[in-house]
Amino acid sequence: MVINHPLLGPRDASEFVYLGDASLMDRPNWLDKDAGQKFYKYQYLRDNPHLEHKELWFHEQGDRSWLIVTRNISTHEILTVELAKKFFDKGV
Amino acid sequence: MNKLNPIEDNIIQKNQSKQTPAKLELNNHQINRLKSGKILNNKKISFKFNEEKLQGYEGDTLSSALLANNKIVVGRSFKYHRPRGIFSAGTEEPNALLEIGKNEYQEPNVKATTIKLFEGLESRSQNHLGSLNFDLLAINDFLHPFLSAGFYYKTFMWPKSFWEKFYEPAIRRAAGLGSLSGMPDPSTYDKGFLHCDVLIVGGGPAGLSAALEAGRANLKVIIADDDFLFGGRLNSENFIIDDQIGSEWSKKSVEELSNMSNVRIMPRTSIYGSFDHGIFGGLEIKYDNYIDQIGKPRQILWKIYTKFAIICTGSTERSIAFGNNDRPGIMLSGAIRSYVNRWSVCPGKNVVIFTNNDDGWRTAQDLKNKNINIKAIIDSRKNINLNDKEIPIFKNTSIIDTSGRKQISSVTLSSGEVLKCDCLGVSGGWNPNVHLTCHQRGKPIWEKSINAFIPGKTPSNMLVAGTAAGLLQLGENLKSGHTKAQQVILSLGFKCSSSTPPKAENESANNSSFWHVGASKKRSWVDLQNDVTTKDIKISYEEGFRSVEHLKRYSTLGMATDQGKTSNILGLAVLAEYSGKSIPDTGTTIFRPPYNPVPIGAFAGRSRGKEFKPVRLTPSHKEAENLSATFVEAGLWLRAQWYPLKGETHWRESVDREVIQTRKSVGVCDVTTLGKIDIQGQDAAEFLDCVYTNGFSKLDVGKVRYGLMLREDGMVMDDGTTARFDLNHFVMTTTTANAVNVFRHLEFCRQCLYPNLDVHLISATEQWAQFAVAGPNSRKLLEKIIDKEYDISNLNFPYMGCKKITVCNNIPARLFRISFSGELAYEIAVPSRYGNSMFKVLMDAGSEFNVVAYGTEALGVMRIEKGHAAGNELNGQTTAQNLGLEKMMSKKKDFVGNILAKRSELNKESIVKLVGFKPVNKEIELKAGAHFISLGKETCTKNDEGWMSSVAFSPSLNHSIGLGFIKNGNNRIGEIVNAVDPLRKSNVEVEIVSPHFLDPEGERLRE
């Protein structure tokens, strides 16, 4: 696989470490009344979508950016690659 | 042109009538070598087959040279040990698998058809007990009624106890084909990366046509072919392209391509897989005679990044299943043509052709032109537009049986007629090599006009040309290569050249759907390599294996090293017939990489033995070697484990001495391997609050604090100390094992959870060499080496202090007053380049205190004596509560793991707690991994109350001690339980004690 890094251009997937669903960026507030339930869902429950999937990749053998890669998990086609920070600002 | 002219008497073509007719004659014992033709003027090459010295020519493959020497039987079949001969002329070969090389160079299961002959090549037949001509295991052939599909599953079930002792060893002895040397492979393998605009897979007519156009348009082109000679089938045929013979055209095309600097030509490179995003895997064979090339890479595994790929992989001829169709001398009809035309070898003197399509006729014609006797053409079709008055033609006829054990001697026709022969060419049609188009789960589709599967939907940057695309005729084949190249050129924004596609006529390629001879009573082979017959397919189907994927696994059809290249489609056609379904409805099995076998050595490349992974050396490694340290691997690191003195014969002697001397006076240990993360920014303290359970914002500058880090699920991730050198500058340490993971986690927190904090991280593990200086004399030792202006007295540099200092005349250093050993202790860090001399300076300066260098073992002993948790306790399954560190979880702030650590199950009173253990009988040694059972209770899982995580012999207490987790441990101090280790058959009574075996109040730390 090749991931088109927003700053560094196309890089081989072997430079990256995969973490998982990008919803991990959406960490609940600890002060919420039902924080326990929310953290339980955040930590353990994942959607299993067909086709498009937003996922977290870490450019460990590179510039150490965390990236949000939108990938078609059926064809492995990569649709967009964004810096996690930029993605955070937009809202998950 | 070699076109078969419909209904014409004479099929001899004009270009061939010019050739002098050749005769079979004795030629250096190469009795099957033709008198004239290609490669006969090449250099002669000597080689061995089963210790017999033979000769061939430069340009031969091992198989063509064996056939030239009339080696008709070259191996025994997998299951029935039937004599087998060469069947094909390419990578599809199911029979001619040989062992080549000797001793450490021995390589099993090599296809003779793919080995380029070289001087001194040694080859041997395999899979026989006794000689090739008299194989004792041929008994299996007579037992065949018992050895049909699934016989393993049915036969070796009972009695169960026989499996391990009897069945499995016996089967293992009989199974497998060649044997391994059992010695390390002395060859070198390498890996490489290539980039191109377009990769053209296959150097046949379509590939060359595409490469010429792409090359002329100035694209960056790679063209690869697994053969050592480009041209593909053109080398095996007499087709005319642009008014020259095909093999000449391909030679000239390669010449033109090699003059283009933008084209890389890769012969002997098998593209074995197509992967996501235009990446292809290729295996290049650099040296055939690799024994003479030791040290140079024998094979190179290429990872090829492409913008586009044009698949021109051609097609493979398939067989027809009929009675006893596996005898030596029975070959694919196209392969016979290859041997005759490319290598000037004819495998027989009286040849019969059995075909269901026009292509079989071409073999007859080519052989006839070389004056080789064609006994008959047997065509399964009723209506044929071809004729040849010189050859007996049997229309609407098939072969039902053959005879001749070591070489075919006759065929029996469906009409009952028996024809004598010594070679039989079979053509069941051609299958496009769709493999690479399917590696991304593309499904091939059935093309009725050629009775074969052609590529279905491919990734957008993958195009298919030539016979691989189902264009079986040369004219359209060449045109399609050209057209697909033009598509790529335009897509990349380049300009097409003005050249027109190479021209050739379309040969006749009528074909039919005829798969196996139902009238045959005898075994009819589908998969020659795995000995699968039509009967096996029938049995599988009747036993309920309806899906083609199940059929494959039950009958082993297509599962051998040839991956069923000649058998898969035939097998599923036979299955379709039994099931009454159509072939497209039956479908193919999934094509997966590799297309051709790739040696594991090539995947390993240079990463073998010591090069398997990098070794990280500590800064003081050299000095530790001078002190004769014993080293231990800690992840990638090599750390000093202990430093034996002369006369010490047991590691415990060294370790005990190191511990005692450190506790009595002072010891030095390299602790560089602990992760160091430099954390800076206006919000650095707030960031630490987020990732540690305890608070850091209120930590004074010049102070160090122990920090506990959780995963979000509430389990402990890591621990370590973090020093505040400045308001906005912290240095964190992690455990050695978790250095990489913690850094990754912190970057995740920084970029994904708290991106609005102003904080930056960098790993500084390798930039600073760090040493623990521990023991009551540690201060005195350090005072000798640090520059005078720095005061490290207890008053001005108390416990948990940190400061930037200089040592040995202005060398920058960082000093931390922290202790893992429990003694008055420091850690001192200097830039890595000073590490080795720093260690030496400390040892020299300490000599007056009788300083000792200590390794990881003594470090471990001292931390267990002190009751500090380490890797064995922080194993990812323990919480702060388990470790007795619940008070470190701040209630005033959020932190990673905060909420889920509060789950009730993790906070029950009965959870396991970290405590110490000592044996009731002090003589007894404790064992880590033992489980705790209350006295008087039975040893069983239900009564398991916890486990011993770390043990050591404590030289300070003079007995064995342990740390471990036991239910409600903190409330059970003084209780005696059993530490049971059923695996090592030990059961020891132990007393539950405080984990702090030494100095529980921590007075020594603060002295």
Side-chain angles (χ1 to χ4, degrees):
Chain A
M1 276 182 32
V2 173
I3 293 175
N4 201 359
H5 192 295
L7 304 176
L8 303 172
R11 316 294 304 184
D12 191 88
S14 62
E15 295 176 5
F16 295 82
V17 173
Y18 177 79
L19 180 68
D21 196 311
S23 66
L24 283 170
M25 287 183 66
D26 200 9
R27 191 171 180 271
N29 187 335
W30 70 298
L31 293 172
D32 280 358
K33 224 170 110 191
D34 51 351
Q37 268 303 312
K38 282 185 171 162
F39 269 91
Y40 157 71
K41 282 184 186 162
Y42 165 76
Q43 176 68 17
Y44 295 109
L45 303 186
R46 297 280 181 278
D47 287 337
N48 185 14
H50 181 47
L51 307 176
E52 267 188 42
H53 186 229
K54 289 192 189 302
E55 48 202 33
L56 281 156
W57 291 77
F58 183 49
H59 197 199
E60 186 151 81
Q61 308 295 327
D63 74 340
R64 311 188 316 267
S65 287
W66 275 97
L67 305 177
I68 304 293
V69 175
T70 309
R71 190 166 64 105
N72 181 325
I73 55 177
S74 183
T75 63
H76 296 186
E77 188 193 353
I78 289 178
L79 305 162
T80 59
V81 184
E82 292 169 277
L83 291 174
K85 168 144 174 49
K86 217 169 170 186
F87 198 76
F88 188 92
D89 294 341
K90 284 197 320 197
V92 182
Chain B
M1 180 52 218
N2 201 19
K3 186 173 179 216
L4 294 171
N5 300 323
I7 325 286
E8 264 188 32
D9 293 347
N10 188 355
I11 63 168
I12 296 182
Q13 303 304 309
K14 43 187 176 181
N15 64 302
Q16 290 182 349
S17 55
K18 287 178 205 155
Q19 291 180 359
T20 350
K23 261 189 189 163
L24 285 177
E25 76 164 38
L26 204 73
N27 182 3
N28 301 316
H29 306 293
Q30 299 184 44
I31 59 168
N32 288 341
R33 196 72 82 169
L34 302 176
K35 201 178 169 190
S36 68
K38 286 184 202 155
I39 85 167
L40 298 176
N41 293 326
N42 290 1
K43 206 177 92 187
K44 282 186 181 144
I45 287 179
S46 312
F47 70 103
K48 275 186 183 173
F49 175 66
N50 286 345
E51 302 310 317
E52 189 183 347
K53 206 168 173 192
L54 302 170
Q55 266 195 342
Y57 290 100
E58 174 99 50
D60 260 327
T61 61
L62 180 51
S63 62
S64 65
L66 286 169
L67 277 178
N69 287 280
N70 203 33
K71 296 296 167 196
I72 300 301
V73 180
V74 296
R76 290 278 174 163
S77 77
F78 182 65
K79 201 156 87 177
Y80 302 122
H81 291 258
R82 306 248 302 178
R84 288 284 168 81
I86 292 160
F87 186 67
S88 75
T91 58
E92 68 270 34
E93 178 61 33
N95 282 346
L97 302 176
L98 304 180
E99 253 169 39
I100 63 165
K102 259 194 173 165
N103 300 329
E104 66 267 42
Y105 295 103
Q106 179 176 320
E107 200 180 345
N109 304 339
V110 172
K111 294 169 189 161
T113 49
T114 62
I115 292 295
K116 189 182 176 192
L117 197 67
F118 60 85
E119 186 65 36
L121 171 65
E122 294 194 34
S123 62
R124 285 175 305 281
S125 53
Q126 51 189 30
N127 205 36
H128 44 83
L129 195 63
S131 75
L132 174 62
N133 275 322
F134 187 76
D135 176 7
L136 294 169
L137 286 172
I139 184 76
N140 285 5
D141 198 22
F142 299 100
L143 298 175
H144 72 84
F146 307 102
L147 297 176
S148 58
F151 85 97
Y152 285 98
Y153 312 116
K154 292 167 190 162
T155 314
F156 300 113
M157 297 287 287
W158 301 282
K160 204 178 164 192
S161 61
F162 269 39
W163 176 253
E164 239 173 75
K165 286 183 206 122
F166 179 72
Y167 293 143
E168 200 198 354
I171 292 169
R172 288 221 180 278
R173 250 196 317 281
L177 295 162
S179 53
L180 291 162
S181 73
M183 288 180 256
D185 183 351
S187 302
T188 307
Y189 299 84
D190 219 332
K191 289 187 199 178
F193 300 86
L194 293 172
H195 297 259
C196 63
D197 290 325
V198 58
L199 168 69
I200 294 161
V201 187
L208 289 172
S209 165
L212 285 171
E213 178 61 14
R216 285 169 189 157
N218 219 18
L219 260 56
K220 207 175 158 195
V221 179
I222 294 174
I223 177 165
D225 195 291
D226 41 25
D227 203 333
F228 51 87
L229 183 65
F230 270 71
R233 282 299 300 174
L234 294 176
N235 295 314
S236 300
E237 311 283 1
N238 292 304
F239 297 141
I240 300 294
I241 300 173
D242 289 347
D243 297 325
Q244 40 192 334
I245 189 115
S247 55
E248 276 304 309
W249 174 85
S250 67
K251 205 169 142 192
K252 282 190 185 147
S253 304
V254 171
E255 271 168 27
E256 184 183 340
L257 291 170
S258 47
N259 287 328
M260 297 180 186
S261 60
N262 54 319
V263 177
R264 183 179 180 126
I265 302 169
M266 300 182 75
R268 302 236 75 190
T269 302
S270 173
I271 302 299
Y272 64 82
S274 153
F275 304 97
D276 288 325
H277 307 157
I279 298 173
F280 287 80
L283 178 74
E284 181 180 12
I285 296 169
K286 276 306 252 195
Y287 298 107
D288 297 285
N289 186 4
Y290 47 87
I291 299 165
D292 290 350
Q293 302 289 343
I294 277 304
K296 296 184 187 168
R298 172 190 172 191
Q299 297 180 349
I300 300 175
L301 193 79
W302 294 105
K303 192 167 180 180
I304 307 172
Y305 297 78
T306 69
K307 288 180 186 153
F308 282 90
I310 306 178
I311 307 299
C312 307
T313 44
S315 52
T316 302
E317 198 170 18
R318 61 192 178 222
S319 183
I320 298 172
F322 54 91
N324 285 313
N325 61 338
D326 71 324
R327 297 194 188 280
I330 301 180
M331 304 173 75
L332 290 171
S333 142
I336 297 180
R337 215 150 70 232
S338 297
Y339 288 115
V340 168
N341 289 330
R342 176 170 169 183
W343 289 292
S344 306
V345 171
C346 186
K349 296 183 186 73
N350 289 300
V351 182
V352 171
I353 301 294
F354 180 26
T355 186
N356 68 1
N357 68 93
D358 289 357
D359 196 69
W361 289 68
R362 191 166 300 113
T363 305
Q365 173 198 331
D366 281 10
L367 265 60
K368 200 173 82 175
N369 290 343
K370 300 257 180 186
N371 280 356
I372 297 156
N373 184 33
I374 299 294
K375 201 77 188 249
I377 297 175
I378 298 150
D379 198 316
S380 63
R381 296 173 294 176
K382 254 186 218 163
N383 305 314
I384 314 164
N385 297 331
L386 303 164
N387 204 0
D388 188 327
K389 280 193 174 158
E390 294 168 35
I391 302 175
I393 309 292
F394 295 81
K395 291 184 187 177
N396 194 19
T397 305
S398 52
I399 295 178
I400 57 167
D401 196 7
T402 69
S403 63
R405 184 142 179 96
K406 304 273 166 68
Q407 180 167 8
I408 187 168
S409 56
S410 70
V411 296
T412 308
L413 306 187
S414 49
S415 56
E417 202 166 334
V418 176
L419 303 175
K420 291 218 171 303
C421 64
D422 57 1
C423 177
L424 169 62
V426 182
S427 181
W430 291 80
N431 290 324
N433 292 326
V434 300
H435 307 63
L436 292 174
T437 69
C438 300
H439 288 174
Q440 274 92 37
R441 287 283 169 134
K443 282 205 172 119
I445 49 178
W446 183 252
E447 176 52 51
K448 216 175 165 317
S449 66
I450 60 167
N451 286 299
F453 283 98
I454 59 166
K457 194 170 181 283
T458 59
S460 58
N461 56 356
M462 181 192 281
L463 295 83
V464 192
T467 51
L471 307 170
L472 295 185
Q473 293 164 302
L474 186 60
E476 52 184 4
N477 174 321
L478 289 162
K479 213 186 279 172
S480 75
H482 191 265
T483 311
K484 297 293 169 183
Q486 289 191 329
Q487 278 180 33
V488 171
I489 293 163
L490 296 175
S491 304
L492 289 169
F494 284 70
K495 251 196 179 151
C496 295
S497 80
S498 52
S499 56
T500 52
K503 278 195 194 69
E505 278 181 53
N506 281 332
E507 69 275 26
S508 81
N510 293 324
N511 61 89
S512 67
S513 173
F514 178 82
W515 306 95
H516 77 119
V517 182
S520 284
K521 298 251 158 48
K522 300 290 175 57
R523 275 179 290 170
S524 307
W525 269 262
V526 175
D527 182 337
L528 291 169
Q529 196 177 348
N530 266 353
D531 268 341
V532 179
T533 64
T534 50
K535 189 183 140 205
D536 294 317
I537 297 176
K538 198 171 175 203
I539 291 173
S540 302
Y541 178 74
E542 283 166 358
E543 292 183 357
F545 298 92
R546 303 286 156 95
S547 138
V548 65
E549 296 283 0
H550 290 158
L551 166 73
K552 170 179 170 176
R553 280 142 189 98
Y554 190 60
S555 67
T556 71
L557 170 75
M559 288 177 73
T561 57
D562 65 346
Q563 286 287 289
K565 289 188 179 69
T566 58
S567 62
N568 275 345
I569 305 298
L570 173 57
L572 74 90
V574 173
L575 176 67
E577 207 172 296
Y578 287 134
S579 65
K581 279 202 233 167
S582 71
I583 292 171
D585 284 346
T586 306
T588 65
T589 52
I590 292 170
F591 293 90
R592 293 189 177 88
Y595 174 70
N596 278 333
V598 181
I600 290 182
F603 281 118
R606 305 255 176 187
S607 307
R608 290 171 53 174
K610 279 213 170 297
E611 321 302 328
F612 178 64
K613 55 185 186 186
V615 177
R616 300 175 82 181
L617 298 180
T618 60
S620 66
H621 187 83
K622 218 168 167 193
E623 194 53 28
E625 269 181 338
N626 290 342
L627 296 175
S628 336
T630 300
F631 293 96
V632 62
E633 284 180 22
L636 298 178
W637 291 100
L638 213 51
R639 298 186 72 180
Q641 198 172 10
W642 60 80
Y643 296 84
L645 286 185
K646 267 205 184 110
E648 289 179 342
T649 54
H650 192 276
W651 65 271
R652 266 277 309 283
E653 282 180 77
S654 316
V655 173
D656 288 359
R657 171 181 50 78
E658 289 168 19
V659 171
I660 290 165
Q661 225 166 307
T662 300
R663 294 223 184 276
K664 200 169 133 195
S665 178
V666 60
V668 179
C669 180
D670 190 324
V671 292
T672 305
T673 61
L674 271 77
K676 306 178 200 77
I677 300 170
D678 204 89
I679 302 170
Q680 299 192 40
Q682 279 184 41
D683 300 321
E686 193 184 337
F687 178 73
L688 287 168
D689 281 346
C690 295
V691 298
Y692 273 137
T693 60
N694 45 330
F696 276 77
S697 15
K698 287 183 187 145
L699 180 68
D700 291 333
V701 171
K703 281 289 182 188
V704 185
R705 183 169 285 172
Y706 175 75
L708 188 68
M709 199 178 282
L710 302 187
R711 302 192 310 228
E712 194 67 89
D713 64 1
M715 298 293 148
V716 173
M717 181 179 200
D718 200 53
D719 70 346
T721 57
T722 293
R724 190 170 205 171
F725 281 107
D726 210 332
L727 201 61
N728 299 330
H729 182 202
F730 294 82
V731 174
M732 174 190 283
T733 64
T734 73
T735 59
T736 302
N738 282 332
V740 170
N741 290 340
V742 168
F743 186 72
R744 187 186 302 160
H745 170 69
L746 293 190
E747 281 291 4
F748 173 75
C749 294
R750 183 179 80 84
Q751 296 176 43
C752 300
L753 301 183
Y754 313 106
N756 297 325
L757 296 183
D758 174 18
V759 59
H760 287 273
L761 312 170
I762 195 154
S763 166
T765 306
E766 298 198 333
Q767 279 63 39
W768 292 89
Q770 195 152 321
F771 299 92
V773 183
N777 285 323
S778 54
R779 185 183 300 128
K780 284 186 201 153
L781 194 166
L782 283 171
E783 276 169 345
K784 282 181 72 179
I785 63 153
I786 66 173
D787 292 341
K788 291 286 165 269
E789 59 267 40
Y790 298 100
D791 176 6
I792 59 164
S793 66
N794 198 24
L795 186 68
N796 287 318
F797 193 63
Y799 181 54
M800 293 309 252
C802 70
K803 73 165 119 182
K804 290 180 181 174
I805 56 167
T806 59
V807 296
C808 309
N809 275 330
N810 269 331
I811 310 278
R814 290 167 172 179
L815 189 64
F816 310 84
R817 193 170 160 189
I818 50 179
S819 174
F820 198 46
S821 59
E823 299 297 327
L824 164 69
Y826 299 82
E827 286 188 15
I828 183 161
V830 289
S832 285
R833 62 187 182 279
Y834 298 112
N836 198 51
S837 44
M838 186 74 222
F839 185 57
K840 210 162 171 283
V841 163
L842 286 166
M843 293 304 290
D844 290 347
S847 62
E848 66 174 282
F849 309 109
N850 199 18
V851 67
V852 67
Y854 67 93
T856 54
E857 283 299 322
L859 182 91
V861 170
M862 288 191 277
R863 72 100 188 163
I864 295 171
E865 287 180 333
K866 184 64 188 168
H868 284 311
N872 294 2
E873 286 73 38
L874 312 177
N875 68 350
Q877 298 172 308
T878 52
T879 61
Q881 299 90 311
N882 295 138
L883 293 161
L885 300 173
E886 54 273 26
K887 284 186 187 143
M888 287 186 68
M889 294 197 288
S890 167
K891 294 200 171 76
K892 294 177 211 150
K893 65 171 184 82
D894 188 21
F895 53 86
V896 172
N898 177 21
I899 298 296
L900 293 178
K902 294 194 173 101
R903 284 178 288 176
S904 58
E905 196 64 22
L906 302 178
N907 291 281
K908 292 203 302 203
E909 203 172 316
S910 59
I911 61 166
V912 295
K913 289 276 188 183
L914 180 67
V915 284
F917 295 90
K918 60 182 187 193
V920 173
N921 176 352
K922 302 264 164 63
E923 304 294 311
I924 295 182
E925 200 179 292
L926 300 180
K927 290 196 191 309
H931 280 244
F932 301 120
I933 308 279
S934 282
L935 290 181
K937 287 215 173 147
E938 190 201 342
T939 302
C940 62
T941 318
K942 202 182 89 195
N943 293 333
D944 185 1
E945 297 193 63
W947 68 98
M948 189 89 82
S949 53
S950 300
V951 298
F953 177 83
S954 163
S956 316
L957 302 172
N958 210 24
H959 62 76
S960 189
I961 58 171
L963 294 177
F965 296 90
I966 188 166
K967 282 181 182 170
N968 198 16
N970 50 333
N971 296 321
R972 294 168 71 177
I973 304 294
E975 188 183 327
I976 294 183
V977 293
N978 283 318
V980 189
D981 186 344
L983 268 183
R984 286 173 288 188
K985 302 203 176 6
S986 93
N987 186 347
V988 184
E989 282 191 358
V990 292
E991 182 188 340
I992 302 175
V993 295
S994 149
H996 312 295
F997 291 93
L998 280 186
D999 188 27
E1001 304 303 320
E1003 285 159 9
R1004 295 183 191 181
L1005 307 166
R1006 297 176 172 83
E1007 274 167 3

